Amino acid sequence: MAHYQSPRTVECVILDWAGTTVDFGSFAPTQVFVEAFEEFGVPLTLEEARGPMGRGKWDHIRALCDESAIAARFEQRHGHEPGDDDVTRIYERFMPLQIEKVGRYSALIPGALEVIAGLRARGIAIGSGSGYPRVVMDRVVDSARTSGYVADHVVAADEVPRGRPYPSQALANAVALGASDVAACVKVDDTAPGIVEGRAAGMWSVALLLSGNALGLTHEQYLALSDAERQAARARIGAEFASARPHYQIDTIADLPAVIADIERRLQAGEMPQACA
C-alpha cells in the first residue's frame, strides 16, 4: 500500500522570464504595449501599460481596455468603447511588434546564471513560464541561449487552457520535470499574477521586488538608488504584492539561494507551502 511522504528537498524551481531572469525592469512587453496602442490613436503611459503585467497578452490588452481612462480615450478616437474585436485587432498589431523588438530587451539579469548553475549543482531542475505566447517565447529563449541560459522546460501562455493567475503553466512544468510533489517546487516571479500562479499550484511562491515590472527601472537606474530609496520601494511593492500572498519577498534572483535553503529547512521540519501564510 502506498503511503504519502512529504518532500524533504526542493526538486524544481520555476522561473518567470521578463523581470525575473531577463530584461531587468521588464521593458520588452510594456514598451510594445505603448507602441501598439499608439498605432490605434490611443495614448498609453508606461505606468498604465505595466498595470496588468503577468497575464497573457490578449488578457493584458483586455484589462487595459477595461480601464475607464483608457476606454474613454479609445471611445474619443473611435466613437465606441473597445470591445473584444478591438482588443483582438490591437493584439494582432502588438504581436509582430513584440516579435520584432523582444530581443532588444533580453539581456540576462545580473546573478541569474550563477544562481541557476548553483541550483543545478544541487540537482534542482529549472522550469520556466511567461505571459508571452510561444512565437514570442521562442525569440526570448533563443536570445537567452546565446548568453548561456537554457531552461530545462518552457511553457508559454498559449500552451495551457488558462494562463496566469491560474496554475496551469506552473503545474505543466512540474509534470514535465517529474516533480514528486508540488510542495517540492518553487515559483519565482516579479508580478502578482505570477505569484498567485505559484500559490494556486500549491508551490512555494517567491516575489521579486526590485528587478521587475513593479519597480520598472533599468539595472543602471536601480544601482543608482540610495539605500533609503530602495527600502521605500521594497515597502511599496511589498504592500502591492501582499494580497498575492508570496511566501518570500526578495530584491532580485541573486537573493534566491538563501530562500531555497530556508525552504528546505522548513520542508525538513514538516512545513508545507499550502499550510503557510
Side-chain angles (χ1 to χ4, degrees):
M1 180 180 295
H3 296 276
Y4 178 73
Q5 183 174 355
S6 61
R8 306 276 291 173
T9 61
V10 171
E11 299 174 7
C12 173
V13 171
I14 301 164
L15 301 169
D16 177 49
W17 286 83
T20 297
T21 53
V22 301
D23 186 12
F24 198 104
S26 195
F27 284 92
T30 49
Q31 184 59 47
V32 176
F33 282 124
V34 171
E35 294 180 22
F37 272 79
E38 281 179 352
E39 293 199 9
F40 286 81
V42 180
L44 193 70
T45 68
L46 271 176
E47 184 178 1
E48 287 172 328
R50 290 185 182 279
M53 194 61 67
R55 306 184 190 189
K57 301 314 176 192
W58 191 96
D59 291 335
H60 188 128
I61 295 169
R62 177 69 272 176
L64 289 173
C65 288
D66 287 339
E67 292 289 332
S68 58
I70 298 170
R73 287 175 224 151
F74 187 97
E75 184 173 13
Q76 183 177 20
R77 177 67 175 81
H78 296 278
H80 63 273
E81 292 187 351
D84 283 355
D85 289 344
D86 300 302
V87 171
T88 297
R89 282 192 287 272
I90 297 171
Y91 176 80
E92 288 173 347
R93 184 62 195 116
F94 168 87
M95 284 302 302
L97 284 171
Q98 186 73 93
I99 294 168
E100 174 190 348
K101 299 187 176 185
V102 71
R104 300 181 189 177
Y105 300 94
S106 292
L108 289 177
I109 287 175
L113 275 184
E114 295 80 1
V115 168
I116 291 165
L119 295 174
R120 285 184 164 142
R122 298 173 61 173
I124 297 172
I126 306 299
S128 70
S130 172
Y132 288 133
R134 173 53 68 175
V135 66
V136 178
M137 197 68 258
D138 284 344
R139 293 290 184 95
V140 178
V141 168
D142 287 344
S143 179
R145 182 181 293 110
T146 65
S147 299
Y149 171 42
V150 180
D152 297 319
H153 192 64
V154 180
V155 181
D158 57 350
E159 295 176 326
V160 293
R162 305 180 81 173
R164 301 166 181 169
Y166 296 92
S168 302
Q169 286 177 274
L171 293 173
N173 271 284
V175 170
L177 295 171
S180 67
D181 194 309
V182 290
C185 300
V186 181
K187 176 68 205 305
V188 184
D189 208 289
D190 66 297
T191 68
I195 296 162
V196 173
E197 173 197 11
R199 269 288 192 173
M203 301 176 179
W204 300 94
S205 193
V206 181
L208 302 184
L209 301 179
L210 301 186
S211 65
N213 179 69
L215 185 60
L217 298 182
T218 66
H219 188 245
E220 292 73 21
Q221 291 169 331
Y222 160 74
L223 291 177
L225 294 176
S226 67
D227 289 343
E229 288 171 328
R230 290 191 192 188
Q231 189 54 42
R234 290 185 190 105
R236 173 182 64 81
I237 297 167
E240 292 173 0
F241 284 167
S243 62
R245 296 179 57 209
H247 294 93
Y248 295 88
Q249 297 184 14
I250 56 178
D251 287 356
T252 78
I253 192 173
D255 304 312
L256 186 60
V259 168
I260 300 302
D262 193 61
I263 289 172
E264 292 199 329
R265 175 192 63 78
R266 296 172 74 175
L267 286 171
Q268 289 160 17
E271 293 188 50
M272 300 284 277
Q274 302 92 328
C276 295

